[in-house]
């Protein structure tokens, strides 16, 4: 019996002394209560952990079942899509409007020979817009300053690109000006292939052939078109300026891509560096290249159109940022196609050319090629 009592010291049945028996029973009860309290506290902790995460599921289910109690979980997504659609609309309207606004400004003889000054104005407006967008209270992008000598080649090309675009718009019809810009895609592909050994898929190359053919047809028939005596004519000078603008713009586009990869800059950081440099470079050239209009002789509505042109340029830069950030480069390209079609259609209507004009086939062929 002694061995049994030693072998089971915790059992209250084997203990013979009543006083010790009561003490052991009390200790066992206390131990059991502590174990129960620990298990209850651990289970309570687990319940609390579950209840922390549970309301999210309940809220989601409640929102799915009770439509009238609040917005659904995809309300934010719908808001984002609505905001993106708004910026796409703003970008399209602003781009179409700035082409026709600038065309109206350049049709005035007082501003026809002020191409450099007008480009300077736009570059400074762009620089000011980007400066405001980079401030901490807006902070749409973080500036990354670059050395002047590194930016000079790109800034020079940018200035030439802007000037020749304005010259092409000045001496061409709006339809031909916009259709000629379609050649940017095959020209950039050609430059990348010749100088950077970058090729494009064969199917994509096939779509460039009708694009080039359509522009060639327009370039051939536009200067010869006499279907409507009041329609705006496109001369061989217009063709030369348009093709030169495409060549310079394509080089500028390729260099932009190269600078972004080399210096790890996004589009706005790169434009933030080069726009002020380009504005200063062009401002120095104004006394030798432009014949500025006399301020008193220019009507007020022309000055208002110039301010409108600068505001539209700022809207284009701002909306382009949100489109690329929210939808990517593919959607930005789709928006570009929509703008091209809209500008060509409106330009054709304003030029009052008949649909039977022979250059209409070139327009249809070029537009169809960019949609393919």
């Amino acid at each position: 019996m002694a061995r049994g009592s030693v072998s089971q010291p915790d059992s209250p049945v084997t203990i013979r002394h009543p006083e010790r028996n009561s003490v052991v029973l009390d200790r066992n009860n206390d131990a059991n209560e502590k174990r129960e309290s620990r298990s209850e506290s651990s289970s309570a902790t687990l319940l609390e952990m579950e209840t922390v995460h549970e309301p999210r599921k309940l809220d989601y289910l409640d929102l799915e079942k009770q439509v009238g109690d609040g917005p659904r979980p995809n309300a934010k997504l719908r808001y984002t899509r609505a905001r993106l659609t708004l910026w796409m609309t703003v970008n399209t309207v602003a781009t179409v409007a700035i082409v026709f606004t600038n065309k109206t400004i350049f049709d005035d003889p007082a501003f026809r020979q002020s191409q450099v000054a007008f480009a300077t104005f736009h570059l400074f407006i762009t620089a000011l817009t980007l400066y405001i967008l980079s401030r901490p209270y807006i902070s749409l992008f973080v500036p990354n300053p670059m050395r002047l000598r590194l930016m000079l080649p790109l800034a020079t090309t940018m200035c030439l690109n802007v000037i020749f675009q304005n010259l092409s718009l000045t001496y061409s019809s709006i339809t031909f000006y916009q259709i000629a810009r379609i050649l940017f895609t095959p020209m950039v592909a050609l430059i990348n292939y010749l100088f950077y050994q970058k090729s494009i898929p064969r199917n994509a190359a096939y779509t460039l052939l009708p694009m080039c053919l359509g522009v060639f047809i327009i370039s051939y028939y536009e200067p010869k078109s006499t279907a409507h005596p009041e329609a705006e004519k496109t001369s061989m000078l217009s063709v030369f300026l348009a093709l030169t603008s495409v060549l310079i713009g394509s080089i500028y586009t390729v260099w932009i891509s190269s600078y972004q990869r080399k210096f790890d800059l996004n589009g706005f950081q790169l434009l933030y560096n080069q726009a002020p440099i380009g504005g200063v470079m062009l401002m120095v050239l104004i006394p030798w290249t432009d014949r500025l209009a006399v301020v008193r002789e220019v009507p007020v509505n022309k000055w208002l159109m110039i301010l409108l042109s600068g505001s539209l340029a700022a809207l284009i830069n701002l909306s382009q940022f949100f489109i690329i950030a929210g939808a990517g480069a593919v959607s930005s390209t789709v928006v570009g196609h929509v703008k091209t079609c809209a500008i060509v259609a409106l330009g054709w209507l304003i030029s009052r050319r008949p649909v039977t004009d022979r250059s209409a086939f070139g327009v249809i062929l070029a537009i169809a090629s960019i949609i393919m």
Side-chain angles (χ1 to χ4, degrees):
M1 297 295 294
R3 291 182 181 179
S5 62
V6 174
S7 62
Q8 295 181 354
D10 294 335
S11 176
V13 179
T14 58
I15 298 176
R16 297 178 178 179
H17 302 283
E19 297 178 356
R20 293 182 180 179
N21 189 13
S22 62
V23 173
V24 172
L25 287 175
D26 293 337
R27 289 179 180 178
N28 288 334
N29 291 334
D30 293 338
N32 291 332
E33 290 177 359
K34 289 181 180 180
R35 292 192 188 97
E36 292 176 358
S37 62
R38 287 177 183 176
S39 62
E40 289 175 359
S41 62
S42 61
S43 61
T45 304
L46 291 175
L47 289 174
E48 289 175 0
M49 293 176 64
E50 292 176 357
T51 54
V52 170
H53 299 280
E54 191 66 24
R56 295 184 180 179
K57 299 180 181 179
L58 293 176
D59 290 343
Y60 181 82
L61 294 174
D62 290 340
L63 287 172
E64 287 292 318
K65 294 177 181 178
Q66 301 174 3
V67 181
D69 292 344
R72 289 181 178 269
N74 61 349
K76 184 177 181 180
L77 179 61
R78 288 202 302 268
Y79 172 73
T80 303
R81 289 178 179 176
R83 185 170 59 179
L84 182 61
T85 303
L86 174 63
W87 283 118
M88 287 182 175
T89 304
V90 169
N91 184 270
T92 302
V93 173
T95 303
V96 174
I98 198 172
V99 171
F100 289 92
T101 301
N102 291 349
K103 180 63 176 176
T104 304
I105 294 173
F106 293 146
D107 284 342
D108 191 331
F111 294 99
R112 185 176 288 266
Q113 297 181 354
S114 301
Q115 302 292 334
V116 177
F118 194 76
T120 304
F121 169 70
H122 268 263
L123 289 180
F124 279 130
I125 288 292
T126 300
L128 178 61
T129 303
L130 294 176
Y131 176 79
I132 295 174
L133 296 180
S134 66
R135 293 303 87 196
Y137 49 84
I138 298 179
S139 188
L140 287 182
F141 70 97
V142 179
N144 189 359
M146 301 293 296
R147 293 182 179 179
L148 177 62
R149 64 180 180 84
L150 296 176
M151 288 291 107
L152 278 177
L154 188 64
T156 303
T157 310
M158 179 189 63
C159 294
L160 293 175
N161 179 43
V162 174
I163 291 174
F164 274 93
Q165 281 186 16
N166 291 339
L167 287 172
S168 175
L169 181 59
T170 302
Y171 295 99
S172 304
S173 65
I174 293 178
T175 301
F176 179 74
Y177 162 80
Q178 192 64 30
I179 287 294
R181 292 178 63 82
I182 295 177
L183 287 178
F184 270 114
T185 302
M187 185 64 69
V188 168
L190 180 62
I191 293 175
N192 279 325
Y193 179 76
L194 293 178
F195 295 97
Y196 297 93
Q197 289 74 46
K198 293 182 178 180
S199 59
I200 60 176
R202 181 173 299 179
N203 293 334
Y206 289 154
T207 61
L208 300 181
L209 297 178
M211 184 183 301
C212 297
L213 180 60
V215 176
F216 172 77
I217 293 173
I218 300 169
S219 302
Y220 181 79
Y221 284 112
E222 274 278 322
K224 298 182 178 182
S225 178
T226 56
H228 201 291
E230 298 182 359
E232 187 178 11
K233 301 297 188 299
T234 297
S235 63
M236 293 305 299
L237 175 63
S238 307
V239 176
F240 170 76
L241 292 174
L243 295 180
T244 305
S245 172
V246 169
L247 177 60
I248 296 175
S250 301
I251 295 174
Y252 175 62
T253 302
V254 173
W255 281 10
I256 285 177
S257 179
S258 177
Y259 268 71
Q260 288 179 333
R261 292 193 305 267
K262 184 177 180 180
F263 300 108
D264 193 19
L265 301 172
N266 60 40
F268 280 85
Q269 289 173 331
L270 192 59
L271 190 58
Y272 180 86
N273 281 280
Q274 59 181 318
I277 299 174
V280 173
M281 292 172 60
L282 292 182
M283 187 172 59
V284 175
L285 297 177
I286 290 176
W288 287 275
T289 58
D290 288 12
R291 182 180 298 174
L292 299 179
V294 180
V295 178
R296 297 179 180 178
E297 297 178 359
V298 178
V300 178
N301 62 331
K302 290 294 181 182
W303 295 115
L304 293 177
M305 293 191 71
I306 292 175
L307 292 177
L308 175 62
S309 177
S311 302
L312 291 173
L315 278 178
I316 291 172
N317 291 326
L318 179 62
S319 58
Q320 191 71 19
F321 176 87
F322 286 106
I323 292 173
I324 295 177
V330 176
S331 296
S332 178
T333 304
V334 174
V335 174
H337 294 342
V338 173
K339 292 185 290 188
T340 298
C341 296
I343 293 173
V344 169
L346 292 175
W348 194 276
L349 292 175
I350 293 176
S351 65
R352 291 174 291 184
R353 291 187 183 277
V355 181
T356 56
D357 195 299
R358 287 177 292 183
S359 59
F361 175 72
V363 173
I364 296 174
L365 186 61
I367 292 295
S369 64
I370 67 174
I371 300 176
M372 292 172 59

